[in-house]
Amino acid sequence: MPRAEHEALDESIALVHRYVIALNAGDMAALDELFADDFVIHQPVGDRRGKRAIRDFVAGVRRLLPDIDARVDVIFADDSFRDGHRVGVLLSYEATNAQIGRRVSVRELQLYRVVDGKIAERWYAADRRAARGEPSRSASDLP
């Protein structure tokens, strides 16, 4: 792969990392710089579109988990797609869940599609049990 393509993929990875930093800080202004105008967030309740969708999402996270400290444990990326780079992260966070009033530790898988230096789409799967303060399941728990 030519050097410029590697650099572009590195920029996509850095973009996603900047989003995690903005999430931790509650930096809503940074979201406008990081996300595309036609951004789509895929959520269990249905897809939401536009920059307002990511601002509303982050605001909701910050209300539920006001002291969130998210960390990127693993990041991987793929530039073989014609419609943009795919950047995946395994994220861990600790925070006080305002609904249950206690600390939680959660892991989450996230996948982003990056186009022209902006995050265009986001998918995720979170450990909802851990987010609710319940015990998580591990691979050893499976049949």
Side-chain angles (χ1 to χ4, degrees), residues 29-87:
L31 301 177
D32 286 336
E33 298 172 20
L34 302 173
F35 289 84
D37 291 337
D38 60 349
F39 169 73
V40 179
I41 185 170
H42 302 280
Q43 296 180 275
V45 297
D47 295 351
R48 304 245 354 254
R49 299 179 184 282
K51 288 184 180 184
R52 181 177 179 103
I54 192 61
R55 286 192 303 266
D56 289 348
F57 175 80
V58 169
V61 167
R62 299 290 304 179
R63 276 190 306 275
L64 179 63
L65 308 166
D67 57 353
I68 189 169
D69 179 22
R71 297 170 311 281
V72 175
D73 296 329
V74 178
I75 194 161
F76 50 95
D78 190 338
D79 60 359
S80 63
F81 294 89
R82 289 181 180 216
D83 65 343
H85 298 154
R86 299 298 193 275
V87 178

Side-chain angles (χ1 to χ4, degrees), residues 17 70-75 89-93 106-108:
H17 194 256
R71 297 170 311 281
V72 175
D73 296 329
V74 178
I75 194 161
V89 297
L90 175 59
L91 190 83
S92 296
Y93 62 85
V106 180
R107 295 187 90 186
E108 188 171 302

Side-chain angles (χ1 to χ4, degrees), residues 3-25:
R3 180 176 165 85
E5 289 181 36
H6 281 297
E7 290 171 357
L9 189 58
D10 288 345
E11 289 170 9
S12 293
I13 291 167
L15 180 72
V16 170
H17 194 256
R18 286 196 310 272
Y19 162 65
V20 174
I21 292 168
L23 172 68
N24 282 337

